[in-house]
Amino acid sequence: MFKTNCNRRAMLAGLALAACSVPLTGAAAQSWPSRPITMIVPWGAGGGTDATARMIASLLEKQLGKPVPVVNRTGGSGAVGHQAIASADPDGYTIGIATLEIGTMHHQGLTTLTHEAYAPIGLYNSDPAALFVRADAPYKTVKDLLEALSKAPDRRFKASGSAQGGVNHLALAGMLKAAGIPVSRVAWVPSEGAAPGLQDLAADGVQIATASLPEAAALMAAGRIRPLAIFAPKRDEAQKDVPTFKEASGFDWSIGSWRGVVAPKGTPPEIVAKLQDEIGKAVVTAQYLEFMKTKGYATGWTAGDGFRAFMIDSDKGLGATLAELGLKK
């Protein structure tokens, strides 16, 4: 569970300088919202980011009495959507979902964007990645798969689950490195989110996929794919039969994704505060918590400065991981 940040005064002070150049009067801020609020999702429909964003948007609509349409802006390994959020008018009528990739893309030279391009509203989810194969794959355990990979020619095996350098790509690369297998052994097939990568696995377009357990729930339930391990320090409460990667292989490696709501930098602090309040209310409703529990997503709420500090730490850690794996430019 994330720690809730209640220090509103510190958050407002931190955002005041960025907001002072915005031509929005106090009266205009007080009348917000007077029209629809667009929520941008940098990843495709059907994935975990899209699903959780749509739930939050639907609850926000009820609370504010204004439409909150969700727009999927995919492309550029997440750069297109993240840029669309950052480039929007900072008037409170465009918000979006930032994901872990905001801490990887600039390290790879895909964009100059960093967490500094946003006014942080709140972190609402963090889930570890997991390792999947097709249900009919001959690899029954992680050790079976690692043995096959250790003997295979480079690029005979293909994997997917995220953009190049995304969290699920890092999950696979870190697994290979931990097991002493060259990262180049497996060809990575980029996808705009976990959903298309998992579909590619189910269709036998790739032999391996990495994604969170909730993102794979539908295909698991349909008997088309199965998990071999979760990249986390402990087992998932909802899937206790899935071992951790360390338990299954003896190698220590864990990594996971995160999702948070942000606004463009310069959004008036009064509006940011209102968004924090309203979304903070939404993520503790029975409807939201039941949805997240049913899907297997972790819940929590870290607002304002706490979320900013989290993004700073995530950026540093991801930069170090990319460098260690030879993926940093």
Side-chain angles (χ1 to χ4, degrees):
M1 181 68 71
F2 308 128
K3 182 180 179 182
T4 300
N5 181 359
C6 298
N7 191 347
R8 179 66 46 71
R9 183 174 299 173
M11 180 278 295
L12 293 176
L15 294 177
L17 181 60
C20 66
S21 62
V22 178
L24 187 66
T25 66
Q30 288 176 2
S31 68
W32 178 94
S34 60
R35 54 188 172 88
I37 301 165
T38 297
M39 179 181 285
I40 296 175
V41 174
W43 304 104
T49 304
D50 178 70
T52 56
R54 290 181 186 276
M55 171 54 67
I56 291 173
S58 69
L59 294 170
L60 204 54
E61 282 186 357
K62 295 177 183 178
Q63 293 171 200
L64 297 177
K66 299 294 180 184
V68 184
V70 174
V71 177
N72 298 90
R73 292 291 301 275
T74 63
S77 298
V80 171
H82 281 92
Q83 182 64 63
I85 302 168
S87 299
D89 290 337
D91 56 10
Y93 291 99
T94 300
I95 59 177
I97 308 299
T99 61
L100 170 142
E101 283 76 11
I102 196 60
T104 63
M105 295 183 295
H106 68 99
H107 289 301
Q108 298 172 278
L110 299 175
T111 179
T112 57
L113 278 178
T114 71
H115 59 86
E116 294 178 354
Y118 309 100
I121 295 171
L123 176 72
Y124 67 86
N125 168 256
S126 180
D127 288 306
L131 176 68
F132 297 91
V133 294
R134 279 173 53 91
D136 59 0
Y139 322 109
K140 303 303 180 184
T141 67
V142 171
K143 288 184 177 180
D144 291 342
L145 179 61
L146 292 178
E147 182 178 359
L149 292 174
S150 68
K151 298 176 180 178
D154 283 356
R155 305 182 69 81
R156 170 171 291 182
F157 280 82
K158 296 180 180 179
S160 189
S162 74
Q164 183 84 12
V167 59
N168 293 326
H169 184 199
L170 294 182
L172 180 79
M175 177 193 81
L176 295 171
K177 185 173 177 62
I181 298 171
V183 174
S184 60
R185 182 62 47 86
V186 179
W188 185 256
V189 180
S191 64
E192 294 294 343
L198 290 165
Q199 289 288 352
D200 204 8
L201 173 65
D204 205 22
V206 297
Q207 294 76 49
I208 305 168
T210 41
S212 70
L213 288 169
E215 288 171 321
L219 288 173
M220 289 168 58
R224 300 181 66 188
I225 66 173
R226 54 186 168 83
L228 295 182
I230 185 171
F231 296 108
K234 61 181 182 179
R235 296 193 183 200
D236 185 272
E237 287 296 318
Q239 298 281 348
K240 291 186 177 181
D241 58 332
V242 180
T244 67
F245 178 68
K246 185 175 182 180
E247 288 174 333
S249 68
F251 302 114
D252 194 5
W253 170 245
S254 61
I255 191 171
S257 60
W258 57 260
R259 304 175 177 101
V261 186
V262 296
K265 182 179 180 180
T267 299
E270 301 96 327
I271 292 178
V272 172
K274 288 182 180 180
L275 282 163
Q276 288 179 347
D277 283 343
E278 294 298 335
I279 299 176
K281 293 174 185 176
V283 298
V284 295
T285 61
Q287 184 179 353
Y288 175 84
L289 293 174
E290 180 61 26
F291 167 82
M292 297 293 276
K293 180 180 179 180
T294 300
K295 297 294 185 181
Y297 294 116
T299 57
W301 182 243
T302 302
D305 284 345
F307 184 22
R308 186 187 299 280
F310 176 89
M311 286 193 287
I312 291 171
D313 288 344
S314 177
D315 188 288
K316 291 178 180 178
L318 291 166
T321 299
L322 285 164
E324 184 178 356
L325 296 176
L327 299 173
K328 184 175 180 178
K329 292 184 179 179

